[in-house]
Amino acid sequence: MTAFGSLYTAATGLQAFGQGMSVIGNNIANVNTTGFKSTSIHFADVFNDTVVTGGGVGQVGKGVQLADLITDFDSGPLELTTESLDLALGGNGFFVVSPPDSDKLFYTRSGAFRFDKQGYLKDSGGAAVQGYEVQTRRDPTAVTTEGASGAGLTESIDFGNMVDVRLGTNAEDDRFVSSPERTTRIEVMVNLDSQATDLANTPAAASSPAFSLFNAWDASQDEPLDSAKYTYMSPLTVYDQAGNAHRVSAYFDPVYTPSQGDDVNGTMVWEYLLAMDPSEDGRAIAQGSSKSGVLMMGTMTFDASGELVNQSAFTPDTTGNMSDLASWTGAFMSDDGYFLCDPVFVAADGQELEGSIEVNFGLADTSPHAPDPLLTAADIPALDAETALQMLGMVQDPSRLANASTSYNRGSATLYQNQNGYPEGALQALSVDRDGVLTGHYSNGQERSLFVLAVADCPNRFALHREGGNRFAETPDCGGMQFGLAGTGNARFDLGPDALDGLGTIASSTLEQSNVDMATAFVDMILTQKGFQANSKVVSTSDEILKMLNEMKR
């Protein structure tokens, strides 16, 4: 009985070590498989027979059995690539994918993703990557990083609606196009040479010298304002609602008063004129007027050190005579304390597009207020410089920006120029950040968050079932898959307690390699081979014993 028992015992060893070699072989075969997780094999003894011994009762083992196969979920080494859609998860979690025409979800650490011809982002096995569509809302009250009010953006996702990440199939899909945005703010920071002389000093009779540029403007000419009539000009391209580009120019010239010259009580006053191409001016008041194209005019007051301390602004009444200074009233202010002008652009197709534009020369009023309804440009006295200066101080509580316009003793120049509009743009590139946000980069310089990739994990990942193709499936023993966003995505999109925290971050242009340790695998292979060899020796020895027993019978 003992000889036969040893044969069966050795057979369990041969079977166990054979299975062990299969596991080791599978690990080695996948040493270069992206995102592969190695498996370790664990053995346990089989039940024991109770036998009587000289000392009482003992047990004799009946061999070995396969106890468990444990997947090693430690992260593998990371390899840099040149593809932005090669993604690696650093830390806990799995990417979520779904096969075509199926609602079933699988989980993978292999982030070699590519878009197919139908616009789906898929893994190497053709399963669609899952994520959440980013909804973008424009907030007109938001404050941009430049410090002025602008069209701010807020982003959100519907965490309960996980979808296939898909761009679309043609250029008409809105994810392939960045819609145009009209200009609502312009910023022109200049230095105006304090030694410059007044070139536009040809005021009309009884007209204030603060509006010499306005008086010199003639919309009927090819060049409405002769270059000999102003000291400096700063052009800027702005955009209407349809994305059409229009040129707006800011003209500057020092104000000269016959009685006091350029200096008025220790200050220097410059006049400015903000104008567009008269042929594109769609305002009703501008039609047929020699002042067509003029959007805003006013003055900038600098102290003795060349710092901007106050400003005035006048815009035309919508019903008066645009050529008459009496039709130019104080400009309204935005909520952030900058003066507003109201152009109406005529597009090439004849469409008239309008909207207010905030004009920022570097000085804001911290207490925005409505203009004096009785004050017009015609009320500014021509000869009483002190009174005129007081009336032109329309900013009641001035706050000067760090990069505000100046009037220093150096050449006139544009220090900084910006506007917040842009034309239509086409999708040119894609990127994925640490939070898994897929961002489109467009030809108009804009960026737009399109999707955020879903990441999942479970309390007992060792119970996940391998499905092949670098994928795992959920089982009842997993404890339930939980979903969230990588990195700081949960806080970024304000997901709250429903989202799983503690997930890893995503690295773009990076792939996680297999975590198989070749040195350990070869050591295990040698030990397994020796174990198999030893068990085979038990079989052969037991066979010899049986032969001897048979010979004893003869």
Side-chain angles (χ1 to χ4, degrees), residues 76 147 203 243 258 349 374 400 472:
D349 59 2
L374 301 178
R400 186 171 58 247
F472 295 89

mmCIF file with all atom_site columns, all heavy atoms in Angstrom, residues 76 147 203 243 258 349 374 400 472:
data_model
loop_
_atom_site.group_PDB
_atom_site.id
_atom_site.type_symbol
_atom_site.label_atom_id
_atom_site.label_alt_id
_atom_site.label_comp_id
_atom_site.label_asym_id
_atom_site.label_entity_id
_atom_site.label_seq_id
_atom_site.pdbx_PDB_ins_code
_atom_site.Cartn_x
_atom_site.Cartn_y
_atom_site.Cartn_z
_atom_site.occupancy
_atom_site.B_iso_or_equiv
_atom_site.pdbx_formal_charge
_atom_site.auth_seq_id
_atom_site.auth_comp_id
_atom_site.auth_asym_id
_atom_site.auth_atom_id
_atom_site.pdbx_PDB_model_num
ATOM 1  N N   . GLY A 1 76  ? 4.256   48.296  -13.003 1.00 0.00 ? 76  GLY A N   1
ATOM 2  C CA  . GLY A 1 76  ? 5.430   47.950  -13.773 1.00 0.00 ? 76  GLY A CA  1
ATOM 3  C C   . GLY A 1 76  ? 6.243   49.181  -14.122 1.00 0.00 ? 76  GLY A C   1
ATOM 4  O O   . GLY A 1 76  ? 5.819   50.319  -13.879 1.00 0.00 ? 76  GLY A O   1
ATOM 5  N N   . GLY A 1 147 ? -6.842  90.208  -15.182 1.00 0.00 ? 147 GLY A N   1
ATOM 6  C CA  . GLY A 1 147 ? -7.407  91.118  -14.210 1.00 0.00 ? 147 GLY A CA  1
ATOM 7  C C   . GLY A 1 147 ? -8.618  91.866  -14.695 1.00 0.00 ? 147 GLY A C   1
ATOM 8  O O   . GLY A 1 147 ? -9.171  92.682  -13.974 1.00 0.00 ? 147 GLY A O   1
ATOM 9  N N   . PRO A 1 203 ? -7.466  122.622 -33.458 1.00 0.00 ? 203 PRO A N   1
ATOM 10 C CA  . PRO A 1 203 ? -8.860  122.567 -32.991 1.00 0.00 ? 203 PRO A CA  1
ATOM 11 C C   . PRO A 1 203 ? -9.748  123.542 -33.735 1.00 0.00 ? 203 PRO A C   1
ATOM 12 O O   . PRO A 1 203 ? -9.321  124.600 -34.172 1.00 0.00 ? 203 PRO A O   1
ATOM 13 C CB  . PRO A 1 203 ? -8.732  122.938 -31.506 1.00 0.00 ? 203 PRO A CB  1
ATOM 14 C CG  . PRO A 1 203 ? -7.488  123.781 -31.430 1.00 0.00 ? 203 PRO A CG  1
ATOM 15 C CD  . PRO A 1 203 ? -6.553  123.213 -32.449 1.00 0.00 ? 203 PRO A CD  1
ATOM 16 N N   . GLY A 1 243 ? -16.519 85.558  -36.023 1.00 0.00 ? 243 GLY A N   1
ATOM 17 C CA  . GLY A 1 243 ? -15.099 85.271  -36.144 1.00 0.00 ? 243 GLY A CA  1
ATOM 18 C C   . GLY A 1 243 ? -14.387 86.099  -37.188 1.00 0.00 ? 243 GLY A C   1
ATOM 19 O O   . GLY A 1 243 ? -13.210 85.848  -37.486 1.00 0.00 ? 243 GLY A O   1
ATOM 20 N N   . PRO A 1 258 ? -2.865  126.793 -25.421 1.00 0.00 ? 258 PRO A N   1
ATOM 21 C CA  . PRO A 1 258 ? -2.141  128.034 -25.729 1.00 0.00 ? 258 PRO A CA  1
ATOM 22 C C   . PRO A 1 258 ? -1.598  128.738 -24.495 1.00 0.00 ? 258 PRO A C   1
ATOM 23 O O   . PRO A 1 258 ? -0.530  129.350 -24.534 1.00 0.00 ? 258 PRO A O   1
ATOM 24 C CB  . PRO A 1 258 ? -3.191  128.890 -26.448 1.00 0.00 ? 258 PRO A CB  1
ATOM 25 C CG  . PRO A 1 258 ? -4.166  127.897 -26.992 1.00 0.00 ? 258 PRO A CG  1
ATOM 26 C CD  . PRO A 1 258 ? -4.217  126.789 -25.999 1.00 0.00 ? 258 PRO A CD  1
ATOM 27 N N   . ASP A 1 349 ? -20.475 89.659  -45.685 1.00 0.00 ? 349 ASP A N   1
ATOM 28 C CA  . ASP A 1 349 ? -21.768 89.271  -46.227 1.00 0.00 ? 349 ASP A CA  1
ATOM 29 C C   . ASP A 1 349 ? -22.856 90.296  -45.934 1.00 0.00 ? 349 ASP A C   1
ATOM 30 O O   . ASP A 1 349 ? -24.036 90.063  -46.200 1.00 0.00 ? 349 ASP A O   1
ATOM 31 C CB  . ASP A 1 349 ? -22.186 87.904  -45.695 1.00 0.00 ? 349 ASP A CB  1
ATOM 32 C CG  . ASP A 1 349 ? -22.292 87.884  -44.167 1.00 0.00 ? 349 ASP A CG  1
ATOM 33 O OD1 . ASP A 1 349 ? -22.071 88.932  -43.538 1.00 0.00 ? 349 ASP A OD1 1
ATOM 34 O OD2 . ASP A 1 349 ? -22.608 86.809  -43.612 1.00 0.00 ? 349 ASP A OD2 1
ATOM 35 N N   . LEU A 1 374 ? -25.389 115.047 -18.448 1.00 0.00 ? 374 LEU A N   1
ATOM 36 C CA  . LEU A 1 374 ? -25.407 116.399 -19.032 1.00 0.00 ? 374 LEU A CA  1
ATOM 37 C C   . LEU A 1 374 ? -24.071 116.788 -19.641 1.00 0.00 ? 374 LEU A C   1
ATOM 38 O O   . LEU A 1 374 ? -23.986 117.797 -20.348 1.00 0.00 ? 374 LEU A O   1
ATOM 39 C CB  . LEU A 1 374 ? -25.802 117.425 -17.956 1.00 0.00 ? 374 LEU A CB  1
ATOM 40 C CG  . LEU A 1 374 ? -27.181 117.207 -17.299 1.00 0.00 ? 374 LEU A CG  1
ATOM 41 C CD1 . LEU A 1 374 ? -27.425 118.262 -16.236 1.00 0.00 ? 374 LEU A CD1 1
ATOM 42 C CD2 . LEU A 1 374 ? -28.285 117.213 -18.347 1.00 0.00 ? 374 LEU A CD2 1
ATOM 43 N N   . ARG A 1 400 ? -4.465  101.831 -10.512 1.00 0.00 ? 400 ARG A N   1
ATOM 44 C CA  . ARG A 1 400 ? -3.548  101.646 -11.635 1.00 0.00 ? 400 ARG A CA  1
ATOM 45 C C   . ARG A 1 400 ? -2.974  100.230 -11.630 1.00 0.00 ? 400 ARG A C   1
ATOM 46 O O   . ARG A 1 400 ? -2.513  99.730  -10.600 1.00 0.00 ? 400 ARG A O   1
ATOM 47 C CB  . ARG A 1 400 ? -2.425  102.676 -11.560 1.00 0.00 ? 400 ARG A CB  1
ATOM 48 C CG  . ARG A 1 400 ? -1.480  102.662 -12.763 1.00 0.00 ? 400 ARG A CG  1
ATOM 49 C CD  . ARG A 1 400 ? -0.507  103.838 -12.755 1.00 0.00 ? 400 ARG A CD  1
ATOM 50 N NE  . ARG A 1 400 ? 0.291   103.875 -11.547 1.00 0.00 ? 400 ARG A NE  1
ATOM 51 C CZ  . ARG A 1 400 ? 0.208   104.832 -10.617 1.00 0.00 ? 400 ARG A CZ  1
ATOM 52 N NH1 . ARG A 1 400 ? -0.650  105.829 -10.764 1.00 0.00 ? 400 ARG A NH1 1
ATOM 53 N NH2 . ARG A 1 400 ? 0.969   104.789 -9.549  1.00 0.00 ? 400 ARG A NH2 1
ATOM 54 N N   . PHE A 1 472 ? -9.316  42.868  -17.382 1.00 0.00 ? 472 PHE A N   1
ATOM 55 C CA  . PHE A 1 472 ? -9.872  42.164  -16.238 1.00 0.00 ? 472 PHE A CA  1
ATOM 56 C C   . PHE A 1 472 ? -11.375 42.420  -16.197 1.00 0.00 ? 472 PHE A C   1
ATOM 57 O O   . PHE A 1 472 ? -11.855 43.469  -16.639 1.00 0.00 ? 472 PHE A O   1
ATOM 58 C CB  . PHE A 1 472 ? -9.244  42.652  -14.925 1.00 0.00 ? 472 PHE A CB  1
ATOM 59 C CG  . PHE A 1 472 ? -7.779  42.347  -14.799 1.00 0.00 ? 472 PHE A CG  1
ATOM 60 C CD1 . PHE A 1 472 ? -6.828  43.242  -15.278 1.00 0.00 ? 472 PHE A CD1 1
ATOM 61 C CD2 . PHE A 1 472 ? -7.344  41.175  -14.206 1.00 0.00 ? 472 PHE A CD2 1
ATOM 62 C CE1 . PHE A 1 472 ? -5.472  42.986  -15.149 1.00 0.00 ? 472 PHE A CE1 1
ATOM 63 C CE2 . PHE A 1 472 ? -5.993  40.891  -14.081 1.00 0.00 ? 472 PHE A CE2 1
ATOM 64 C CZ  . PHE A 1 472 ? -5.051  41.790  -14.556 1.00 0.00 ? 472 PHE A CZ  1
#
